[in-house]
Amino acid sequence: MAAAVEENMVIINHKPRVCISILNWKNTSDTIACVHSLQLITSVSHQIVVLDNESTPESLATLQTVRHIKVISSLVNLGFAGGHNRVVKWALDQGFDYVWLLNNDAINQPNCLERLVDYADGHRESALVSPILLNNTLPHGPQHVISILNDTRTGSHEYTDVDVARKMQQDYPNKVIIWGTALLVRLSCIKTLGYLDERLFAYAEDTDYALRAISCGFSNAVVFEAYVWHASPTHPRKPHYYYYTHRNSIAIAKKHASRLNTLKLIYWNLRLAKKQLLVIGNDTATAHALKLGIWHGWINQSGPFNKEAKHYFFSDALMRFVLYLS
């Protein structure tokens, strides 16, 4: 195992060692483009690890042609949380200082990782550090900069103006919520912080992780001089998006907010669902996924989305009545 690390690892003497974790799921072209963008890293010791979720002989063979990476194959889809956790555990065993959780649809920009590591080394209280996310299409304006936790711990307000975001981080350093798109994690914090919550599977597990870091006494931060390009979401959104976002927002509120504020969050979700169902219209598969997400959040159902599952409580008539009340 150690020999494989040395073979694929870019080593810079007297520098922290960073494991770069990238998940591939049925999209090797984006993954390879992401890996190629990492060639810009010249002054940080790093090892690129690609975990191939729901791996096939074809995807594995394609990834194994890419130089200077380690490929881990998983026959099942472990999701965002499970896939990255597997790489994090490997990185801990290998003695890395940081792990950079990088979306495969992100493109690294010059000096990004260097600036993240420099900031983290100078701010030992920071567990999670992120760059600014820019749209990968021209003119590459900010897609996401920072989110600030609300007082009820049931949500956050997102900021895309860099100057405003900088002031919000300065004014509310213990309320910073950052996305998992390009998330640098200090591995020495794992013993206290733990791993990503695999029950969430995908979506909002980064919000949960940031909340847990705050609860453990760590801070989170955006490095405003560091950037990655990130793909904009495709529309219309797929059914699983509505399922995970509704289910996991309820699950996270149950973990981090009071019972009363959780009920308020569920009410807010129902109001949002009412608007989304109007937009979804006759797309029965997406409407079913949305309702199922609310139901599974209510009954604490975890794991991957199963489109064949039923939302017994939310019969269509009862769902319409609940939405009418909201």
Side-chain angles (χ1 to χ4, degrees):
M1 184 70 76
V5 175
E6 296 303 322
E7 178 183 352
N8 296 317
M9 185 170 175
V10 177
I11 300 174
I12 309 295
N13 291 333
H14 310 300
K15 289 285 186 178
R17 300 172 67 226
V18 180
C19 174
I20 303 175
S21 176
I22 303 170
L23 304 183
N24 179 70
W25 185 56
K26 301 180 180 181
N27 191 353
T28 54
S29 59
D30 274 3
T31 301
I32 291 172
C34 176
V35 169
H36 285 167
S37 74
L38 297 172
Q39 294 175 357
L40 296 171
I41 302 171
T42 58
S43 59
V44 175
S45 297
H46 63 278
Q47 166 75 63
I48 303 168
V49 178
V50 176
L51 185 132
D52 190 22
N53 263 327
E54 204 171 336
S55 187
T56 65
E58 293 76 17
S59 65
L60 191 59
T62 299
L63 292 171
Q64 288 176 335
T65 65
V66 182
R67 298 179 60 193
H68 307 306
I69 69 171
K70 174 181 176 63
V71 180
I72 300 175
S73 174
S74 174
L75 295 179
V76 297
N77 182 8
L78 300 173
F80 181 95
H84 280 308
N85 280 349
R86 185 166 172 184
V87 178
V88 168
K89 291 171 184 176
W90 179 86
L92 281 168
D93 288 341
Q94 299 299 319
F96 283 87
D97 301 291
Y98 298 96
V99 62
W100 195 23
L101 312 183
L102 187 63
N103 275 22
N104 72 326
D105 60 354
I107 298 295
N108 177 53
Q109 295 303 295
N111 300 314
C112 178
L113 182 58
E114 290 86 343
R115 288 167 179 166
L116 294 179
V117 171
D118 285 346
Y119 180 92
D121 273 356
H123 298 79
R124 306 300 295 180
E125 73 284 359
S126 295
L128 311 177
V129 178
S130 172
I132 290 175
L133 309 182
L134 301 178
N135 288 309
N136 69 346
T137 54
L138 292 173
H140 301 305
Q143 181 186 93
H144 176 76
V145 182
I146 200 171
S147 294
I148 298 296
L149 181 66
N150 64 23
D151 291 335
T152 62
R153 298 175 69 87
T154 56
S156 58
H157 187 81
E158 182 180 345
Y159 298 89
T160 56
D161 182 283
V162 175
D163 291 333
V164 173
R166 194 188 301 270
K167 186 176 188 308
M168 296 305 292
Q169 178 162 287
Q170 180 180 347
D171 292 347
Y172 303 101
N174 297 322
K175 289 189 173 184
V176 173
I177 304 294
I178 48 183
W179 284 8
T181 306
L183 188 64
L184 186 72
V185 181
R186 187 188 308 278
L187 287 176
S188 61
C189 295
I190 293 293
K191 184 176 181 180
T192 305
L193 182 57
Y195 298 96
L196 292 164
D197 189 344
E198 296 185 20
R199 294 172 297 179
L200 300 175
F201 193 78
Y203 290 97
E205 62 285 276
D206 47 3
T207 298
D208 173 65
Y209 213 41
L211 283 166
R212 285 160 52 197
I214 293 169
S215 297
C216 290
F218 300 116
S219 65
N220 310 311
V222 174
V223 179
F224 296 100
E225 298 74 29
Y227 308 90
V228 298
W229 291 350
H230 182 231
S232 300
T234 57
H235 293 280
R237 293 280 200 168
K238 294 183 179 179
H240 69 258
Y241 167 81
Y242 292 94
Y243 172 80
Y244 287 123
T245 52
H246 278 280
R247 185 196 70 179
N248 289 350
S249 65
I250 296 172
I252 290 172
K254 286 181 175 181
K255 288 176 66 175
H256 298 285
S258 68
R259 184 171 298 179
L260 176 60
N261 285 329
T262 298
L263 290 174
K264 290 179 180 178
L265 182 279
I266 294 173
Y267 174 75
W268 181 88
N269 264 24
L270 290 171
R271 290 177 62 87
L272 175 62
K274 186 176 182 178
K275 297 176 183 178
Q276 290 176 330
L277 286 169
L278 289 174
V279 175
I280 290 167
N282 296 324
D283 185 344
T284 56
T286 301
H288 169 77
L290 184 155
K291 297 173 187 177
L292 186 66
I294 295 173
W295 170 238
H296 279 177
W298 182 260
I299 66 170
N300 301 319
Q301 177 70 44
S302 61
F305 170 54
N306 175 10
K307 64 181 180 181
E308 304 300 330
K310 298 185 182 300
H311 47 86
Y312 294 103
F313 179 76
F314 283 118
S315 66
D316 285 340
L318 184 54
M319 185 67 178
R320 283 196 297 270
F321 177 68
V322 171
L323 291 173
Y324 171 78
L325 292 178
S326 65

